[in-house]
Amino acid sequence: MTEIWEPHAPTAGGGLRPLHADGLDLRVSGTGTARGVGDGVVEVTAEGSGPVRIEWRVPCVDATAFWTPEPRGTGWLPAAWSAPRRTSLANGAPIAALVGTGDVALCAFAAERPDVLAGAGVVEETGEFRFWAQAEGRLTVRIDTSRRHFGRCLADLTAWWGSGRTVDIPDAARRPAYSTWYSMHQDVSPERVETQAALGKPLGLDVIIVDDGWMTADRTRGYAHCGDWEPVSLPDTAAHVERVHELGVRYLLWYAVPFIGKDSAAYQKLGRYALADAAHMGAIVADPRYPEVREFLTDRLVRAVEEWGMDGLKVDFVDWFARADAPEAGPEADCASVDEGVERLLASIRGRITAADPEAMVEYRQPYVSPGLWPYVTMIRATDCPLSPQENRQRTVDVRLAAGPVPVHSDMLMWHPGEPPEQVACHLINVLFSVPQVSVDLAAQSPAQREAIAFWLGVFREHLDTLQLGELRPARPDLGYPMVTALGADTVAVARYAALPVDASGEGWRTLLVANADADPVVRLTGADGTATATVQDARGRIVRQGEVELDRADGILVPRGGLLTLRRP
């Protein structure tokens, strides 16, 4: 794509012409149209023979944060001359929001197509916030200046994305999972996997995901052994999988899908089809524009489900397809772009495994969160942030706001063996609005740690409809979401990560859950009066107090760190 980017010029690029709709000052290149599609929502389309661009500005008044779904993407306000974001099918999502005081969206937007170059930032001369988006040939964007909660605006934009897309999510994709990555790294074996599956099932871990190491006896990391995907460390694979199934646990297997390692037999076959040479990792990035590459990778990956009886795939590093400038394709290529090749590859994998098992799962990972991938995925995981509860919280919330109907999984939770049960609970509370993945040696956990895991996984399971499917209302993205709320049919769940009062004013709730991940035990409720029946549980699920309380009591309700307050009213 030819770029139109003026890093040191805050004024509109040459060739843009004014276009007005619902009071929004727009500029477009090529042929432009705009129409109102809701209160404060405008849909703008630009068409042309080359790159087309849509640009608009809003007053940067009471602005607090700029939100994107990318890792470390939310927080500060960039300058208008900052480098633009390039999204594609394999990397990122074309959506963003300027958030203001009270968590309202001063302006949120999304592009209809995945491959967009987009810029945003403060215009120093005027104090305005400038947005622009560019693509080849035709571009449609929706712009929301309705000043509703930014979570509501983003939900509407993702619903627009989802219109007409088929997304099939099996129930198991929303169930807590165990991952071998942090607990074992590459040192996997059937015995170790089966031990953790057996220990995890009674705690509420219904899925196990075996990560890197199963396809090689080498334990030095890197990806030189990727590509052949033979179960070197999981001999007699089908029998091993069956033993895990007998425990009542579903099984997913990890694949670094773009990498063909230089120590693999596959390298001799496909080494000439390289998008990039990832020399420091010992592998090439295979070029999916070639049918031979797609057929080989599809055949390798789907064996896990078709032959070994596994329940799905963890498909890793899809974003690496987008990291390299593609060389000119040879005559054997049948795709005009890498994105088209990626989509054909992922569609082929999903089609084959669901033909073998309609409930088969596929995990992707931030930053490949494009809505164009939704038909080929059943869950999206936050990218790696080991032992970082705040980062895990922010990433899972950010991904949820852009993932539409697709379940969002936390990065794998790990902690030091000496972690107190209160902090184990806080790790889980920090990802309360996603599907938790746990990656510690369960055999090494103390009885108190195991009680905390089991209690909070029970909360995830019991209140799944509210926590995962309710309307998400995160607060203060500029502060890393110190409080997050989910609104269900008659249940409201609030996670408190700082000493903040909890808004209990909603009239529709019959059950109000308050999870306390802050050291301050005093939970004060605002906006509600009358009485409710209160149950306070500690981090291990033990009841510490129970009875009727006044909702507007000035001294608040004591909830220990890592504990849960449950309020019920008729």
Side-chain angles (χ1 to χ4, degrees):
M1 181 191 301
T2 304
E3 296 186 8
I4 302 175
W5 175 41
E6 302 164 274
H8 301 296
T11 56
L16 301 185
R17 61 183 185 82
L19 187 68
H20 296 279
D22 287 358
L24 193 62
D25 186 14
L26 297 155
R27 291 179 179 273
V28 298
S29 66
T31 302
T33 59
R35 64 188 183 95
V37 292
D39 188 13
V41 183
V42 173
E43 191 171 290
V44 186
T45 298
E47 296 184 78
S49 57
V52 294
R53 175 161 157 161
I54 301 170
E55 181 177 312
W56 66 100
R57 301 185 184 199
V58 296
C60 196
V61 175
D62 261 352
T64 59
F66 181 64
W67 177 91
T68 74
E70 297 167 0
R72 299 186 181 276
T74 297
W76 70 301
L77 301 182
W81 42 261
S82 299
R85 300 163 54 226
R86 180 184 294 280
T87 64
S88 69
L89 186 77
N91 189 25
I95 188 169
L98 178 64
V99 183
T101 301
D103 298 323
V104 302
L106 304 177
C107 182
F109 90 96
E112 187 177 34
R113 56 188 288 177
D115 52 333
V116 170
L117 187 70
V122 174
V123 179
E124 296 166 358
E125 292 85 348
T126 64
E128 296 172 298
F129 201 86
R130 181 181 68 160
F131 295 84
W132 60 268
Q134 177 185 312
E136 291 285 343
R138 187 178 190 276
L139 174 63
T140 298
V141 299
R142 276 203 176 187
I143 303 169
D144 188 327
T145 56
S146 63
R147 301 186 70 90
R148 297 172 294 159
H149 190 281
F150 79 101
R152 176 73 65 83
C153 295
L154 294 172
D156 285 353
L157 290 171
T158 59
W160 173 58
W161 275 345
S163 178
R165 283 194 171 97
T166 300
V167 180
D168 188 12
I169 307 297
D171 290 342
R174 297 192 180 276
R175 298 295 181 180
Y178 183 88
S179 169
T180 63
W181 179 237
Y182 293 142
S183 58
M184 301 182 198
H185 283 105
Q186 288 187 311
D187 193 15
V188 299
S189 69
E191 296 75 20
R192 297 191 75 188
V193 171
E194 290 165 30
T195 295
Q196 297 303 317
L199 292 170
K201 178 62 178 180
L203 299 177
L205 296 167
D206 294 331
V207 178
I208 193 163
I209 303 171
V210 172
D211 212 289
D212 192 359
W214 65 271
M215 72 297 177
T216 177
D218 184 272
R219 298 294 183 251
T220 58
R221 310 278 278 270
Y223 300 103
H225 300 279
C226 293
D228 295 336
W229 302 115
E230 295 293 342
V232 175
S233 294
L234 297 177
D236 200 5
T237 313
H240 159 60
V241 173
E242 181 57 30
R243 290 193 294 271
V244 172
H245 283 165
E246 289 172 356
L247 299 168
V249 175
R250 303 288 187 93
Y251 199 134
L252 273 71
L253 195 62
W254 171 90
Y255 289 86
V257 64
F259 297 151
I260 304 295
K262 294 185 177 180
D263 291 339
S264 71
Y267 182 75
Q268 305 304 318
K269 178 181 178 67
L270 300 177
R272 66 187 184 277
Y273 299 125
L275 278 178
D277 183 351
H280 66 294
M281 292 189 171
I284 65 163
V285 177
D287 190 338
R289 293 176 296 180
Y290 293 89
E292 184 177 353
V293 171
R294 298 195 305 274
E295 290 165 9
F296 177 85
L297 292 176
T298 299
D299 287 342
R300 292 286 93 186
L301 269 66
V302 302
R303 293 171 68 205
V305 178
E306 291 181 343
E307 297 180 24
W308 303 331
M310 293 186 180
D311 302 285
L313 313 174
K314 174 177 179 172
V315 179
D316 214 348
F317 297 112
V318 171
D319 53 309
W320 276 73
F321 285 122
R323 292 193 180 193
D325 291 329
E328 184 176 348
E332 301 160 82
D334 63 351
C335 295
S337 68
V338 173
D339 270 6
E340 183 183 351
V342 169
E343 185 163 17
R344 289 191 185 190
L345 171 63
L346 299 179
S348 175
I349 293 169
R350 181 74 194 274
R352 287 270 298 272
I353 66 170
T354 52
D357 176 4
E359 297 295 304
M361 294 174 279
V362 179
E363 181 195 281
Y364 292 167
R365 175 174 56 85
Q366 191 185 29
Y368 43 103
V369 295
S370 168
L373 296 178
W374 290 357
Y376 319 120
V377 64
T378 65
M379 60 263 237
I380 300 171
R381 179 176 64 82
T383 196
D384 300 29
C385 50
L387 232 172
S388 300
Q390 189 280 334
E391 193 71 20
N392 218 345
R393 174 174 82 241
Q394 182 155 342
R395 293 182 183 189
T396 52
V397 170
D398 284 344
V399 177
R400 266 215 50 187
L401 291 169
V406 181
V408 172
H409 283 229
S410 73
D411 183 40
M412 295 76 71
L413 302 179
M414 59 155 291
W415 49 81
H416 187 274
E419 197 82 278
E422 291 79 12
Q423 185 60 18
V424 171
C426 288
H427 282 291
L428 287 157
I429 295 170
N430 270 277
V431 298
L432 188 62
F433 304 94
S434 65
V435 181
Q437 291 191 14
V438 175
S439 188
V440 294
D441 181 1
L442 296 174
Q445 302 303 297
S446 69
Q449 289 171 321
R450 290 169 62 84
E451 287 176 5
I453 296 169
F455 170 60
W456 278 103
L457 292 183
V459 173
F460 279 94
R461 294 160 65 92
E462 181 181 357
H463 298 286
L464 183 152
D465 285 348
T466 297
L467 297 173
Q468 292 188 38
L469 302 172
E471 181 183 342
L472 196 65
R473 292 283 186 92
R476 298 301 300 272
D478 54 314
L479 299 179
Y481 306 127
M483 184 176 290
V484 181
T485 301
L487 309 175
D490 59 4
T491 299
V492 174
V494 179
R496 176 181 181 265
Y497 308 105
L500 298 172
V502 173
D503 182 4
S505 61
E507 296 181 359
W509 65 265
R510 295 182 61 185
T511 301
L512 174 63
L513 307 173
V514 182
N516 182 35
D518 190 70
D520 178 8
V522 181
V523 173
R524 292 183 173 85
L525 306 175
T526 64
D529 54 21
T531 62
T533 300
T535 300
V536 178
Q537 293 166 278
D538 68 7
R540 297 157 63 180
R542 299 175 301 182
I543 295 175
V544 295
R545 65 182 60 87
Q546 197 167 27
E548 192 169 78
V549 296
E550 297 289 337
L551 293 175
D552 58 353
R553 56 188 294 171
D555 59 345
I557 301 171
L558 295 180
V559 183
R561 181 168 73 99
L564 176 68
L565 166 65
T566 303
L567 294 169
R568 291 187 172 90
R569 64 185 183 186

